[in-house]
Amino acid sequence: MTRAGTDVFLAELESWTSGDWEDYRARVADGEGSVRAIDAIQRRRRRARSEPPQESTR
């Protein structure tokens, strides 16, 4: 991994919420590998950022 890649990776982890870390700990406790857990959480976060805001259904 390049130094630039490392910086991006660390910046992504710094932006995790307490819920992301809770999800990570639960996944690892259930036997999921740490890298796989990080990848899954990062994919979920990217999808959430790329989805258009949902309209209110009042």
Side-chain angles (χ1 to χ4, degrees), residues 10 14 22 24 28-31 35-36 40 43 51 57-58:
L10 293 175
E14 288 176 0
E22 186 176 315
Y24 170 79
V28 172
D30 286 343
V35 172
R36 187 176 294 261
R43 280 193 306 274
E51 291 177 356
T57 55
R58 285 193 235 180

Side-chain angles (χ1 to χ4, degrees), residues 4-46:
T6 301
D7 292 343
V8 170
F9 175 74
L10 293 175
E12 289 284 333
L13 290 181
E14 288 176 0
S15 69
W16 278 23
T17 65
S18 60
D20 294 328
W21 285 109
E22 186 176 315
D23 185 18
Y24 170 79
R25 286 188 295 274
R27 287 170 175 268
V28 172
D30 286 343
E32 187 171 346
S34 61
V35 172
R36 187 176 294 261
I38 289 170
D39 286 344
I41 294 165
Q42 288 297 96
R43 280 193 306 274
R44 183 192 70 218
R45 289 173 54 84
R46 281 188 210 107

